[in-house]
DNA sequence: TCAACTCGGTGCGCTGGCGTACAGACGCTT
DNA sequence: AAGCGTCTGTACGCCAGCGCACCGAGTTGA
């Protein structure tokens, strides 16, 4: 019992983008990476606000939301340990029209925007750094996710979208339990809370999930996959294709 | 009357991205730019297909569509002379899950993908070429458009979306007339043809548009702007912010 | 000139999701 | 132990948009 309460083993390489960097580029960044807590509901960015940092989630999950003038919202994309929050920084925009909110509490490593830009633009012996290549391919994966979200919003039912949402969250979590009320899910999907209650009720009746006051446990992942719309699969396959070095297990 | 029937004055710089390039970078590309006709309905890319060229529209308009397994479709983004079709090429993905279809006939200049990549990665005396900077900012604008489309699909009515669609098309055309059947608009928006008929009927009744068998004339642009949802404005402002050197008049 | 086709208009019943309202259940606080 | 706030379940009317069916007016081509 020499050391109990050892600090949890945080490692930037829990983030798949950081893990995919070659040793030299990683070393370059390491000293500038700062571990931060990501409590549920924290807004990393607000629409139009200057972004100072980018975030590499390890255990946290972040949602990109668009919030309309009347307060209604819609989730545009989800970012977990496979990605980076703040692509607008290296795209050159400095701000987005989206809000970035912590959807599942955990940790992330953050990096000053300026440092990321330097690394992005650093052209060594090769034409461009691995970092640039990696970030661009991730951005395309993110674009795919957004475009699929647009199509899914147009054509698929709340039931199907709930399945998609659960699976996408599950892919980015170590456990099969989500801490998330139906009300919050409704905000993400941009639907009524009652709609989520009803859809979740069906999944429960089918024995796929169990839930209780803000805790959702997935019992039968395969069952969800059988019900989900094509959108989930398309996005996942595209991520795997674009970022083979960072495949989510 | 020395020269009648002079060839129409095609110029790559009708495309705002090309026009925004500094002289040396433009000169680099010029000899490789190839003028192509873009007939209505032509598919530049299909989902998952290798992309050989990128396209810089001058008078044509291109829609990015996602086509679902059941054949239903949804427009993800629109690209006219303010942009470039084929961002996936320099993002590193080579393919997209989207289909790119000519929505309004006209012309574009195309460029071999490999040449574009070279130009994108060319680091001269400066850290990175203007081209890279420009294309990345355009990509972010495109991301904004996609994300707004997702939100709009979730929350806004067909009426509003039709206004948005008309205005976005109008911004990319020299005239105030569109060649487009209601059926095709319905495909783009991912709604029923009858829904478009009804929405268009309202706009007609309000004296904003006139149409007749595939020809739509906008009579009162300000009237459309008064009815459109916020999505149109948000996207347009973001384009102007990100690409001040390529503002659509 | 007539037939075939395309485009747009209209009507009808259906349903998914919305807004609203309310009630029970759980759990934390005091 | 009581009380209050949060989370979930249910119910009811309403409406936008869907699927379908049909029709008339233009346009094109033989």
């Amino acid at each position: 019992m020499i050391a109990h309460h050892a600090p949890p083993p945080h490692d930037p390489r829990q983030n798949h983008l950081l893990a995919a960097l070659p040793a030299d580029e990683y070393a370059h960044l390491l000293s500038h990476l700062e571990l931060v807590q990501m409590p549920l509901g924290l807004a990393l960015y607000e629409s139009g606000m200057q972004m100072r940092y980018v975030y590499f989630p390890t255990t946290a999950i972040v949602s990109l939301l668009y919030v309309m003038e009347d307060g209604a919202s819609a989730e545009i994309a989800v970012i977990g340990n496979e990605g980076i929050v703040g692509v607008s920084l290296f795209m050159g925009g400095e701000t987005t029209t989206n809000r970035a909110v912590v959807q599942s509490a955990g940790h992330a490593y953050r990096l000053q925007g300026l440092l990321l830009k330097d690394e992005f633009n650093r052209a060594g012996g090769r034409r461009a750094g691995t970092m640039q290549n990696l970030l661009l391919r991730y951005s395309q994966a993110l674009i795919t996710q957004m475009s699929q979200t647009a199509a899914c919003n147009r054509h698929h039912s709340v039931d199907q979208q709930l399945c998609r949402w659960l699976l996408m969250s599950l892919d980015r979590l170590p456990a099969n339990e989500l801490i998330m009320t139906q009300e919050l899910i409704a905000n993400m999907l941009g639907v009524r809370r009652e709609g989520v209650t009803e859809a979740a009720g069906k999944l429960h009746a089918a024995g796929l999930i169990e839930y209780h006051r803000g805790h959702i446990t997935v019992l039968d992942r395969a069952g969800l996959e059988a019900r989900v719309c094509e959108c989930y699969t398309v996005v996942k396959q595209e991520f795997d294709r674009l970022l083979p070095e960072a495949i989510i297990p």
Side-chain angles (χ1 to χ4, degrees), chain A:
Chain A
M1 299 275 195
I2 295 174
H4 56 171
H5 276 311
H10 289 299
D11 178 359
R13 300 230 165 196
Q14 291 174 282
N15 178 280
H16 297 177
L17 288 184
L18 292 175
L21 286 177
D24 59 333
E25 296 195 37
Y26 179 64
H28 228 253
L29 290 181
L30 186 53
S31 62
H32 302 109
L33 290 172
E34 184 186 351
L35 179 67
V36 285
Q37 278 226 352
M38 308 270 274
L40 178 63
L42 175 68
L44 303 178
Y45 309 128
E46 293 289 347
S47 167
M49 289 299 186
Q50 182 75 25
M51 304 154 82
R52 292 185 52 210
Y53 298 94
V54 294
Y55 298 80
F56 296 92
T58 53
T59 54
I61 304 182
V62 175
S63 280
L64 300 189
L65 294 182
Y66 180 79
V67 183
M68 321 214 86
E69 286 165 1
D70 66 1
S73 59
E75 189 179 75
I76 305 303
V78 185
I79 303 170
N81 65 347
E82 86 292 350
I84 178 175
V85 185
V87 296
S88 311
L89 267 168
F90 59 80
M91 301 285 272
E94 311 292 331
T95 66
T96 333
T97 57
N98 290 331
R99 207 172 156 192
V101 182
V102 176
Q103 180 218 307
S104 177
H107 289 83
Y109 286 85
R110 76 177 183 189
L111 179 64
Q112 293 225 0
L114 286 178
L115 294 172
L116 179 84
K117 275 189 182 170
D118 283 352
E119 192 61 31
F120 181 84
N121 289 320
R122 205 158 66 96
R126 25 194 188 331
R127 309 270 294 193
T130 313
M131 186 69 163
Q132 180 175 120
N133 190 278
L134 205 56
L135 290 181
L136 287 180
R137 277 182 289 133
Y138 176 72
S139 300
Q140 196 191 325
L142 201 61
I143 286 178
T144 303
Q145 193 184 155
M146 291 175 172
S147 114
Q148 202 71 33
T149 302
C152 196
N153 281 351
R154 165 62 63 208
H155 291 292
H156 294 144
S157 67
V158 173
D159 291 39
Q160 291 175 304
Q161 294 188 42
L162 177 60
C163 288
R164 173 171 67 85
W165 193 89
L166 287 172
L167 286 170
M168 290 185 61
S169 298
L170 219 54
D171 286 341
R172 290 163 175 81
L173 284 172
N176 63 340
E177 191 192 351
L178 309 166
I179 314 264
M180 176 71 40
T181 65
Q182 299 186 350
E183 172 110 42
L184 284 177
I185 297 180
N187 284 159
M188 301 285 169
L189 296 181
V191 300
R192 279 186 322 153
R193 198 262 313 159
E194 292 87 334
V196 174
T197 301
E198 204 179 325
K202 290 182 200 169
L203 297 181
H204 183 219
L208 305 182
I209 65 173
E210 192 68 64
Y211 55 88
H212 182 65
R213 291 185 75 75
H215 293 244
I216 304 182
T217 310
V218 175
L219 303 174
D220 179 359
R221 194 194 152 105
L224 288 181
E225 284 171 353
R227 292 184 167 230
V228 77
C229 51
E230 60 190 280
C231 303
Y232 169 70
T233 319
V234 168
V235 171
K236 179 154 173 129
Q237 282 179 355
E238 191 69 356
F239 264 83
D240 292 352
R241 182 182 78 81
L242 289 166
L243 299 161
E245 63 272 69
I247 287 190
I248 310 169

